[in-house]
Amino acid sequence: MPEHTAAFRLRLSGLCFLLQILNILLFAVFVRYSPESSPGQCPPQLNCSRRNQDSGFQQPHFRDVHIQMLLSFGLLVAFLSRYGPGSAAVSILITAFAIQWAVLIQGFFYFFLNGKIYVGAQSMVSADFCTAAVLISTGAVLGRVNPIQILLLALLEVTLCTLNEYILLSLMGVSDSGRSLTVHTFGAYFGLMVSRVLYQPHKDKRKKEEQQHTHQTDVFAVVGTIYLWIFWPSFISATTVHDNAKDWAMLNTYFSLVASTVATFILSPVLYEESTPRMVQIQDATLAGMAVMGMAGEMLVTPFGALIAGFLVGLISSLGFRFFTPVLHSRLKIQDTCGVHNIHGLPGILGALLGTLLTLMATADTYGDRLEFVFPLVAQGSRTVTDQALIQLGALPVTLLLATLGGYFTG
């Protein structure tokens, strides 16, 4: 056993070394800072329309998104008493590698010109979103994969996640600024399919970990939940660079998460023998309430509509943990360690359906000058509202197909 452990440490060290050297070499050859982010004059070959947008990201959104990546996602897996400290460390490793790899892969799709990738603040935030999908997938396979396998998962998933994002946002013209589909749905079902391939019939990790509930895990859940409440609205609105649409995204997210949290307090005493929900359950409800606003956040949800959406997804998430998770394990042979299906997968799908419904209301009368920011093709007259709604709906099966096929291959 000591020899095996030493060999594993050396393999992990060697893989990290090789991947980092690969990133350094690729950055040296391809990556340059974008003129859009510099004070100098922009060359005519490069579209500098995003110069103000890139500077508009500035420090607050850049900081908030990174805090979400490192703290909220790290603490989300740390509540598992057996895997907590190690999983939090691995989540930092994933973030450190996946951000570099995502900058490269996304750069080839979005920021490639004359043989170079031009990066700025926007490309870093986009890389964070892709990294979030990888961290979500990790939650589905936690306890059954080692750090070496997780690094390989990140290598493949970042590539496929970027491909899915490019198809949806660039080729299809889907509006998904808060990433209900490209982060939450893709990450959840990619991870679930990997978990299905790696199914181990005699190891039900989720059940064991729920029984090992300690004061320390509660502390992790409390801190993680607080960070989610503070910073996730900025996460949702980070790619909504126009101030006219940003306030909708942030307010709708807040309304949704408060209603989702209350829904947990309604159902938990009924479903479990507890007078109040555990902090882990509140954390799950908070995530579900915000995931459902990913696509619809910048749309005309209205305050009461956001409350209704959050309330419903809070109920569905709680019922999913109680009834659907056992079915995933017993019938579909999927061991979902952190319950990502209930806090990312289902809310992501519901968010896509809500976004499709709200797209049908996208008119100049209802949206005003925000229409050109949320649905530019509709505002330009090159696409009807009905066409846009059908495309928003069609993005869901495309994402599910790429996520499941990619997860199966990766597994």
Side-chain angles (χ1 to χ4, degrees), residues 63-311:
R63 175 201 63 208
D64 292 352
V65 171
H66 275 293
I67 288 175
Q68 284 293 84
M69 300 300 305
L70 293 171
L71 283 176
S72 297
F73 278 103
L75 293 171
L76 181 64
V77 298
F79 77 86
L80 296 171
S81 58
R82 180 176 177 182
Y83 308 112
S87 298
V90 170
S91 71
I92 295 177
L93 171 62
I94 295 170
T95 302
F97 166 71
I99 285 178
Q100 299 176 69
W101 189 242
V103 167
L104 286 167
I105 300 301
Q106 292 183 337
F108 286 115
F109 279 95
Y110 297 107
F111 308 107
F112 193 70
L113 178 66
N114 297 330
K116 301 297 179 183
I117 297 172
Y118 293 93
V119 301
Q122 185 182 20
S123 54
M124 285 297 293
V125 172
S126 298
D128 274 330
F129 274 101
C130 194
T131 303
V134 178
L135 292 174
I136 290 170
S137 299
T138 303
V141 297
L142 195 62
R144 294 190 305 283
V145 292
N146 58 48
I148 293 176
Q149 293 169 321
I150 290 178
L151 279 174
L152 297 177
L153 181 148
L155 185 73
L156 293 170
E157 184 172 1
V158 165
T159 306
L160 293 171
C161 178
T162 302
L163 175 62
N164 179 65
E165 183 182 273
Y166 180 74
I167 292 173
L168 265 59
L169 304 186
S170 296
L171 299 184
M172 296 177 64
V174 174
S175 176
D176 187 24
S177 65
R179 305 301 196 260
S180 278
L181 286 175
T182 56
V183 171
H184 294 285
T185 303
F186 185 90
Y189 288 98
F190 187 98
L192 290 172
M193 184 54 68
V194 174
S195 179
R196 173 64 183 86
V197 177
L198 301 180
Y199 176 71
Q200 298 171 332
H202 302 297
K203 295 181 180 180
D204 188 353
K205 300 293 185 182
R206 175 73 181 180
K207 183 176 180 181
K208 291 180 181 179
E209 290 305 320
E210 285 181 339
Q211 294 172 350
Q212 297 174 357
H213 184 65
T214 65
H215 174 72
Q216 183 182 17
T217 63
D218 270 339
V219 172
F220 283 134
V222 169
V223 177
T225 304
I226 291 172
Y227 276 110
L228 286 171
W229 275 66
I230 295 174
F231 294 108
W232 198 282
S234 292
F235 189 88
I236 290 289
S237 61
T239 56
T240 308
V241 294
H242 302 282
D243 290 334
N244 284 346
K246 190 177 297 181
D247 53 352
W248 277 6
M250 297 186 70
L251 291 172
N252 287 331
T253 303
Y254 269 118
F255 287 133
S256 178
L257 74 89
V258 296
S260 178
T261 302
V262 172
T264 301
F265 279 84
I266 294 173
L267 271 187
S268 289
V270 178
L271 300 176
Y272 305 96
E273 296 179 357
E274 300 171 340
S275 57
T276 58
R278 300 201 305 264
M279 279 305 304
V280 170
Q281 295 168 337
I282 299 173
Q283 187 181 44
D284 293 341
T286 304
L287 273 168
M290 291 181 288
V292 77
M293 279 295 121
M295 179 183 288
E298 65 176 356
M299 300 180 187
L300 188 60
V301 182
T302 72
F304 80 91
L307 289 174
I308 293 174
F311 182 72

